[in-house]
């Protein structure tokens, strides 16, 4: 009975509010028409006060008055202030009211216009209302749609508050009774909130100059904030009450910097293509061609030369070090001011999706294992075989064991000092993702990616003390260029034990075979000096160490030096192997067929089902060939060579020759029964492993290709539906499959596929570039700030 009375009272109150709104509306409308009179202005203020006490706006007619009320800022600012307050109170009262206000774009535009009012209390009230409304995603998206970000940026920059002054204001701000001096805190909070809601199209519409100036301010502010955060212990970083910068009203600052940096290339350092080719492959024009045809993905290659500082692509990066002989200074430089680089999924083509997952990790200190390793290889005698064995030891694991604690995840300022101690004890400092931390290195990596037609190239730095070995003998699933910057290092490279190129994240036993044996007698040794570059193909076992000192004279002659080298890793992902090119070719050929059944036909007729199943089964057949044919695993370089007008014909002819070989193998070795059996097993066992390497095919539908009964986000379900229908008509399915395969192999034209393939590369490259620009912005200028 009590609950019934409460509901009844609530209903009565709502009816009273509606009745009150109905009575207020006509008088407010009349007063607004005569706002120049003192009586009308008083009446408007009184009604607005009542609406604020009533909290909810339940009358659409009242909402229609608010744009005009907000625009009375010039002559009657008190009305505009009261109007903004009513909107703010109402927006916080309920989600429904908030949504109703946000659906009125004129109210939102009027609030944005009020930000520019000369009367500060008007703009402050409008900014408060924007923040109150922005507690919901619907409101934030609506504000982004009316260019509120542009206006907020302009207003904030007009305030001309230095980052140091902002931090002082933000730290003292309580959130209640904001003063005019604290107004920039409010504006920046609103700006950051909306920037972090914008999609890529909306970010791209922000005027470039305005965006760049605002981004420069955010970077400068971020340096100050980052320094405060990194100087604290990891335990403090997770405790808002103990971390001063977390108390400042700038949540999402890192994400805003990242987002604004994705819309354009904010970095000016670029290496000329010819200079990078000359530095890595040799001074002659044909050196790169010779390397590609003779060594690429096949055998090691060394480039030994001495370049003038003017021609050295690494001189700018090396010149940043304080001294060649001070290893601790180099460690401090390399690790100082770094933030973590959360991994970008290899098949992610939307940077906003990445940000939704990783935004809470942006700007955090570097993480052990992900960003950095401190490791050395030690020799031990096996008790079982009494043979000498080598194993890797991690400094922080040993340090943790000594302290009876788990190894640290976050590497803070105090841990940098421990890294210096570790280096003195023989440990190598290995830093990943240098292309996201150094503008100079990023430029070189970009050029290398273009040379090999890949969307990106990764870069690691290794600083090894004298008489030491960092990583134990291993192989990489990607090709590497080892660039010796400082000191000397001795490399031992073994031939690949099999003709199969390892794929990314492929288990070691697949490459080495069951015995895990390789021909040690045919190993090669390379002694790298400063300026030398060594190429190691993927799959070749290798290890490296700094020179052992045998005499005092060697020590005096400087032969006991530490080593600093960079490795540029060319990772060949599934879309960019020759198998991937074959998949693109099949999709493009099918898309160009005049009688290609549409999805509706595929699901409503047996002929359409058989066609769709055969088309996707041919994808499976291509993948099965790629599992055992070495050529299908090679990198397809078409995106590089077909775009370069200065490239020689021999490289293009080489690619065309490989293409003809691939098509011939598809025609002769794609067997219906084998592909059908693999699908049958996968469907019955509900095993998605068969389709894992082809999930990237879902991106082709975003590029204009038609879907053929399979959603590659969930291929198992699609194959199951088609399989159940085709299993009853297996002979018919085989006939359609054989006919389709033959037709595809006869009609496919190399030149028709090149542009489609380059489009795939471009799509991947775009999101990698956005990520790179965002991470470089979070690292940019931090070295200067560290002094």
């Amino acid at each position: 009975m009590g609950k019934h009375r409460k509901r009844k009272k609530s209903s009565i109150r709502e009816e009273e509010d509606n009745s009150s709104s109905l009575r207020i509306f006509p008088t407010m409308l009349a007063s607004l028409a005569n706002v120049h009179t003192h009586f009308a202005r008083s009446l408007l203020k009184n009604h607005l006060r009542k609406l604020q006490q009533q909290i909810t706006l339940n009358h659409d007619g009242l909402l229609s008055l608010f744009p005009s009320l907000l625009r009375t800022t010039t002559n009657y600012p008190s009305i505009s202030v009261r109007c903004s307050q009513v909107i703010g109170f109402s927006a916080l009262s309920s989600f429904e009211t908030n949504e109703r206000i946000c659906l009125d774009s004129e109210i939102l535009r009027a609030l944005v216009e009020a930000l520019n009012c000369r009367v500060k209390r008007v703009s402050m009230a409008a900014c408060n209302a924007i923040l109150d409304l922005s507690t919901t995603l619907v409101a934030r998206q609506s504000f982004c749609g009316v260019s509120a970000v542009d206006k907020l940026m302009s207003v904030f920059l007009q305030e001309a508050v230095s980052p140091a002054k902002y931090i002082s204001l933000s730290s003292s701000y309580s959130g209640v009774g904001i003063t005019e001096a604290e107004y920039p805190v409010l504006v920046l909070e609103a700006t950051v909130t909306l920037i972090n809601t914008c999609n890529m199209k909306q970010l791209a519409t922000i005027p470039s100059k305005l965006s760049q100036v605002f981004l420069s301010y955010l970077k400068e502010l971020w340096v100050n904030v980052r320094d405060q955060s990194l100087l604290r212990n990891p335990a403090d970083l997770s405790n808002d009450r103990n971390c001063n910068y977390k108390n400042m009203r700038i949540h999402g600052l890192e994400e805003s910097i990242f987002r604004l940096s994705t819309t354009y290339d904010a970095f000016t350092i670029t290496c000329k293509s010819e200079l990078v080719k000359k530095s890595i492959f040799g001074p002659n024009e044909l050196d790169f061609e010779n390397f590609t045809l003779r060594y690429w993905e096949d055998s090691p290659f060394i480039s030994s030369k001495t370049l003038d500082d003017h021609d050295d692509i690494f001189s700018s990066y090396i010149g940043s070090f304080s001294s060649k002989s001070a290893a601790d200074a180099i460690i401090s430089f390399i690790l100082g001011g770094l933030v973590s680089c959360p991994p970008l999924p290899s098949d992610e083509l939307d940077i906003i999706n990445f940000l939704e997952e990783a935004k809470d990790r942006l700007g955090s200190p570097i993480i052990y294992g992900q960003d950095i390793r401190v490791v050395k290889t030690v020799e031990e005698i096996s008790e079982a075989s009494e043979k000498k064995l080598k194993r890797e030891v991690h400094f922080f694991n040993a340090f943790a064991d000594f302290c009876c604690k788990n190894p640290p995840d976050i590497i803070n300022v105090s841990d940098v000092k421990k890294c210096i101690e570790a280096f003195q004890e023989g440990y190598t400092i290995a830093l990943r993702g240098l292309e996201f931390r150094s503008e100079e290195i990023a430029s070189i990596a970009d050029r290398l990616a273009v040379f090999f037609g890949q969307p990106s190239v990764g870069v690691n730095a290794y600083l090894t003390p004298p008489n030491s070995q960092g990583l134990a003998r291993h192989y990489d699933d990607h090709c590497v260029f080892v660039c010796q910057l400082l000191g000397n290092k001795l490399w031992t490279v073994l031939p690949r034990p099999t003709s199969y190129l390892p794929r990314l994240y492929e288990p070691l036993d697949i490459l080495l075979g069951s015995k895990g044996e390789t021909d040690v007698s045919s190993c090669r040794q390379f002694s790298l000096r400063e300026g030398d570059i060594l190429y190691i193909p993927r799959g070749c076992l290798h290890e490296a160490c700094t020179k052992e000192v045998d005499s005092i004279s060697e020590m005096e002659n400087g032969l006991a030096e530490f080593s600093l080298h960079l490795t540029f890793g060319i990772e060949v992902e599934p879309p960019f192997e020759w198998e991937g090119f074959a998949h693109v070719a099949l999709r493009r050929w099918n898309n160009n067929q005049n009688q290609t059944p549409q999805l509706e036909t595929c699901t409503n007729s047996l002929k359409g089902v058989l066609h769709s199943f055969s088309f996707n089964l041919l994808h499976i057949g291509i993948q099965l060939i790629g599992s055992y044919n070495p050529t299908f695993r090679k990198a397809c370089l078409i995106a590089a060579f077909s775009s370069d007008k200065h490239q020689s014909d021999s490289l293009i002819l080489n690619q065309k020759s490989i293409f003809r070989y691939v098509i011939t193998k598809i025609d002769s070795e794609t067997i219906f029964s084998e592909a059908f059996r693999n699908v049958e097993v996968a469907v019955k066992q509900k095993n998605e492993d068969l389709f894992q390497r082809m999930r990237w095919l879902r991106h082709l539908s975003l590029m204009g290709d038609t879907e053929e009964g399979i959603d590659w986000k969930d291929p198992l379900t699609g194959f199951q539906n088609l399989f159940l229908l085709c299993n009853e008509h297996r002979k018919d399915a085989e006939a359609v499959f054989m006919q389709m395969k033959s037709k595809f192999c006869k009609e496919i034209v190399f030149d028709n596929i090149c542009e489609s393939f380059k489009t795939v590369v471009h799509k991947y490259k775009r999101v990698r570039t956005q990520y790179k620009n965002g991470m470089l912005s979070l690292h940019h200028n931090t070295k200067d700030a560290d002094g």
Side-chain angles (χ1 to χ4, degrees):
M1 189 67 181
K3 292 182 179 179
H4 176 72
R5 283 198 300 269
K6 286 182 181 179
R7 286 197 297 268
K8 188 174 182 180
K9 288 180 180 179
S10 176
S11 177
I12 292 173
R13 176 62 182 274
E14 186 176 344
E15 289 178 4
E16 290 176 351
D17 289 344
N18 288 332
S19 178
S20 175
S21 298
L22 287 170
R23 291 195 302 269
I24 289 175
F25 171 68
T27 55
M28 285 189 69
L29 182 61
S31 300
L32 185 58
N34 299 279
V35 70
H36 57 281
T37 67
H38 177 73
F39 174 76
R41 294 197 299 274
S42 298
L43 194 59
L44 278 174
K45 292 178 186 177
N46 183 50
H47 284 331
L48 287 170
R49 190 179 299 110
K50 288 182 179 179
L51 288 175
Q52 187 170 337
Q53 294 170 350
Q54 183 177 310
I55 296 181
T56 57
L57 294 173
N58 296 320
H59 188 268
D60 291 335
L62 283 173
L63 285 177
S64 66
L65 300 179
F66 274 76
S68 298
L69 290 167
L70 287 166
R71 291 186 173 108
T72 62
T73 56
T74 303
N75 298 317
Y76 313 110
S78 58
I79 295 176
S80 181
V81 169
R82 179 67 70 176
C83 186
S84 294
Q85 292 172 344
V86 172
I87 291 174
F89 273 98
S90 300
L92 295 174
S93 67
S94 69
F95 177 83
E96 291 76 12
T97 303
N98 185 302
E99 187 173 9
R100 289 179 65 195
I101 295 173
C102 294
L103 290 175
D104 193 325
S105 60
E106 283 303 308
I107 292 180
L108 305 186
R109 289 191 177 91
L111 281 172
V112 172
E113 291 171 13
L115 291 169
N116 232 8
C117 181
R118 294 192 303 270
V119 182
K120 186 62 68 71
R121 58 194 177 101
V122 172
S123 55
M124 289 171 61
C127 190
N128 260 320
I130 290 173
L131 278 170
D132 290 340
L133 281 164
S134 296
T135 54
T136 68
L137 177 61
V138 173
R140 294 194 296 273
Q141 291 174 337
S142 298
F143 274 118
C144 291
V146 296
S147 301
V149 175
D150 304 20
K151 182 65 70 175
L152 284 164
M153 281 184 177
S154 299
V155 170
F156 180 79
L157 293 174
Q158 289 170 6
E159 296 295 322
V161 180
S162 69
K165 177 67 173 176
Y166 179 89
I167 290 177
S168 175
L169 292 172
S170 181
S171 300
S172 61
Y173 177 67
S174 63
V176 180
I178 187 171
T179 65
E180 288 191 9
E182 295 170 330
Y183 177 51
V185 178
L186 206 64
V187 179
L188 185 60
E189 182 180 4
T191 310
V192 166
T193 298
L194 296 186
I195 287 174
N196 295 346
T197 306
C198 287
N199 57 39
M200 294 307 298
K201 288 184 179 180
Q202 291 166 337
L203 288 172
T205 61
I206 300 173
S208 179
K209 289 185 178 180
L210 176 64
S211 179
Q212 291 179 34
V213 173
F214 187 76
L215 179 58
S216 296
Y217 181 91
L218 291 187
K219 287 181 182 179
E220 189 177 351
L221 177 60
W222 161 240
V223 169
N224 288 272
V225 172
R226 178 196 57 81
D227 287 346
Q228 288 192 26
S229 66
L230 294 182
L231 287 172
R232 306 192 67 86
N233 292 323
D236 293 336
L237 290 174
S238 61
N239 189 333
D240 286 357
R241 292 173 298 178
N242 293 332
C243 189
N244 186 44
Y245 98 100
K246 282 290 186 181
N247 289 329
M248 292 187 287
R249 294 170 67 90
I250 47 174
H251 301 301
L253 174 62
E254 306 95 330
E255 186 182 354
S256 287
I257 292 174
F258 193 102
R259 282 175 176 261
L260 290 176
S261 301
T262 61
T263 58
Y264 66 98
D265 193 345
F267 304 98
T268 57
I269 295 179
T270 55
C271 285
K272 294 181 179 179
S273 295
E274 293 307 313
L275 180 58
V276 175
K277 278 187 179 180
K278 177 181 177 182
S279 298
I280 295 180
F281 304 104
N284 299 320
E285 290 185 8
L286 295 179
D287 284 337
F288 175 69
E289 177 183 327
N290 178 61
F291 166 82
T292 303
L293 296 176
R294 291 185 57 190
Y295 299 100
W296 172 246
E297 295 187 320
D298 184 43
S299 60
F301 164 86
I302 187 168
S303 173
S304 298
K305 55 193 172 300
T306 301
L307 295 177
D308 297 332
D309 290 342
H310 178 71
D311 294 328
D312 189 354
I313 57 176
F314 299 106
S315 59
S316 177
Y317 181 72
I318 299 176
S320 303
F321 305 146
S322 59
S323 171
K324 174 183 174 181
S325 60
D328 55 347
I330 295 178
I331 295 173
S332 297
F333 173 84
I334 292 177
L335 301 185
L338 294 185
V339 297
S340 179
C341 294
L344 176 72
S346 61
D347 61 346
E348 182 58 77
L349 294 190
D350 187 345
I351 197 67
I352 299 299
N353 289 340
F354 162 78
L355 283 171
E356 289 300 317
E357 295 292 331
K359 59 185 177 182
D360 293 334
R361 291 175 284 161
L362 290 177
S364 65
I366 57 176
I367 297 174
Y368 193 80
Q370 174 185 287
D371 301 293
I372 186 175
R373 291 169 293 167
V374 183
V375 60
K376 71 177 177 180
T377 294
V378 297
E379 255 189 10
E380 295 179 340
I381 298 179
S382 170
E383 295 181 0
S385 61
E386 297 184 354
K387 293 182 179 180
K388 288 184 178 181
L389 300 176
K390 290 183 177 182
R391 69 179 183 91
E392 290 181 2
V393 177
H394 289 256
F395 173 77
F396 281 103
N397 291 62
F399 181 79
D401 293 340
F402 177 77
C403 298
C404 300
K405 297 179 181 178
N406 293 324
D409 291 328
I410 293 177
I411 303 297
N412 57 21
V413 173
S414 62
D415 290 320
V416 173
K417 296 179 180 178
K418 293 188 181 73
C419 288
I420 296 175
E421 297 174 9
F423 181 83
Q424 295 170 349
E425 295 178 19
Y427 286 85
T428 291
I429 313 298
L431 178 66
R432 290 171 172 163
L434 201 62
E435 75 276 20
F436 307 131
R437 311 175 195 275
S438 165
E439 189 177 347
E440 296 91 343
I441 302 304
S443 178
I444 301 171
D446 285 348
R447 292 301 179 188
L448 269 178
V450 172
F451 293 160
F452 295 102
Q454 303 300 308
S456 62
V457 165
V459 189
N460 295 346
Y462 297 88
L463 184 66
T464 304
N467 308 329
S468 180
Q469 178 175 341
L471 302 180
R473 180 179 295 180
H474 67 284
Y475 84 95
D476 293 312
D477 56 15
H478 52 275
C479 296
V480 296
F481 289 90
V482 180
C483 304
Q484 190 70 28
L485 302 188
L486 297 176
N488 306 320
K489 207 162 194 180
L490 181 64
W491 288 79
T492 301
V493 183
L494 285 75
R496 193 166 50 238
T498 174
S499 61
Y500 292 102
L501 291 167
R503 285 170 161 163
L504 294 177
Y505 316 116
E506 196 169 47
L508 180 64
D509 56 357
I510 293 179
L511 176 70
L512 298 180
S514 58
K515 296 182 179 180
E517 296 177 351
T518 186
D519 186 7
V520 180
S521 62
S522 59
C523 69
R524 299 174 63 185
Q525 287 194 327
F526 303 90
S527 181
L528 297 191
R529 298 180 179 273
E530 293 178 8
D532 292 348
I533 295 176
L534 173 65
Y535 166 73
I536 304 176
R538 49 181 166 142
C540 290
L541 287 164
H542 58 272
E543 59 185 339
C545 62
T546 47
K547 182 176 176 60
E548 293 185 9
V549 180
D550 297 326
S551 65
I552 297 177
S553 62
E554 286 185 326
M555 179 78 75
E556 292 175 348
N557 291 331
L559 297 179
E561 295 178 331
F562 62 80
S563 163
L564 174 65
H565 78 265
L566 306 181
T567 61
F568 289 76
I570 318 293
E571 295 185 346
V572 182
E573 297 169 68
F576 312 115
E577 297 177 351
W578 274 103
E579 179 191 316
F581 186 85
H583 287 304
V584 174
L586 176 59
R587 286 290 290 266
R588 179 52 57 190
W589 171 83
N590 184 65
N591 202 54
N592 290 338
Q593 297 302 296
N594 294 328
Q595 282 82 32
T596 299
Q598 298 300 313
L599 185 59
E600 293 79 12
T601 306
C602 291
T603 56
N604 293 328
S605 72
L606 178 60
K607 182 179 179 181
V609 170
L610 294 177
H611 181 282
S612 179
F613 182 73
S614 298
F615 168 71
N616 288 289
L617 196 64
L618 191 50
H619 276 302
I620 298 295
I622 291 172
Q623 179 182 245
L624 292 176
I625 297 176
S627 66
Y628 63 81
N629 188 300
T631 302
F632 278 60
R633 292 168 172 248
K634 287 181 175 290
C636 177
L637 307 182
I638 288 172
F641 299 161
S642 62
S643 301
D644 191 347
K645 296 179 180 179
H646 304 288
Q647 205 63 260
S648 67
D649 292 338
S650 59
L651 293 176
I652 296 295
L653 291 174
N654 170 261
Q655 296 294 287
K656 289 183 176 181
S657 174
I658 296 175
F659 173 73
R660 287 193 295 270
Y661 172 84
V662 167
I663 295 301
T664 300
K665 286 296 179 182
I666 293 173
D667 192 23
S668 63
E669 297 185 13
T670 305
I671 302 172
F672 174 84
S673 59
E674 183 180 357
F676 191 90
R677 183 172 60 256
N678 276 268
V679 170
E680 182 178 24
V681 171
V683 168
K684 289 183 177 180
Q685 296 181 356
K686 298 189 181 302
N687 184 0
E688 297 187 356
D689 292 345
L690 177 65
F691 316 110
Q692 191 61 40
R693 280 186 54 80
M694 294 191 294
R695 287 184 183 274
W696 64 271
L697 290 175
R698 69 187 185 276
H699 296 313
L700 296 182
S701 61
L702 302 176
M703 302 171 194
D705 287 2
T706 57
E707 291 285 355
E708 278 283 356
I710 297 292
D711 178 5
W712 284 96
K713 292 180 181 178
D714 181 22
L716 182 60
T717 300
F719 269 102
Q720 182 175 358
N721 295 336
L722 291 177
F723 176 79
L724 293 175
L725 292 171
C726 292
N727 194 32
E728 299 177 3
H729 305 274
R730 184 164 175 170
K731 289 185 177 180
D732 293 332
E734 183 172 4
V736 173
F737 174 86
M738 297 303 292
Q739 182 182 9
M740 176 180 290
K741 181 186 71 169
S742 177
K743 197 168 187 287
F744 163 68
C745 293
K746 288 179 181 178
E747 296 179 355
I748 193 66
V749 178
F750 174 81
D751 292 334
N752 293 346
I753 311 303
C754 290
E755 287 303 317
S756 297
F757 185 73
K758 285 190 287 186
T759 299
V760 178
V761 176
H762 173 74
K763 294 283 186 180
Y764 275 77
K765 185 177 181 63
R766 182 185 62 181
V767 73
R768 309 294 174 82
T769 301
Q770 291 170 337
Y771 178 88
K772 176 201 70 178
N773 289 343
M775 291 311 308
L776 283 173
S777 281
L778 291 177
H779 285 91
H780 197 50
N781 292 332
T782 56
K783 298 292 187 291
D784 296 336
D786 292 333

